[in-house]
Amino acid sequence: ALERLVQDRTVLVIAHRLNTIAQAEQIAVFEDGRLVEIGRSAELTQRNGAYAHLIHAFQKSEVRV
């Protein structure tokens, strides 16, 4: 449903679930109110920074469930 709503629009999404933003054109990662990374999911994952650590933690928690 979100894909249909954002088509041909600029939308700011604040999300706690990584799968909500995985297909976004740009992802901004904030820590303690500061912007620490910005880019696409694949780029951010390759950088091995804050976003990659979030992805890793998410995947690790999914395995336990």
Side-chain angles (χ1 to χ4, degrees), residues 12 21 24-31 34-47 49-52:
L12 175 64
I21 59 169
E25 287 185 33
Q26 290 288 316
I27 298 170
V29 182
F30 288 82
E31 286 184 345
R34 293 179 301 116
L35 177 64
V36 294
E37 291 182 310
I38 190 164
R40 292 180 178 267
S41 182
E43 297 166 358
L44 296 174
T45 302
Q46 289 177 350
R47 289 182 195 159
Y51 182 81

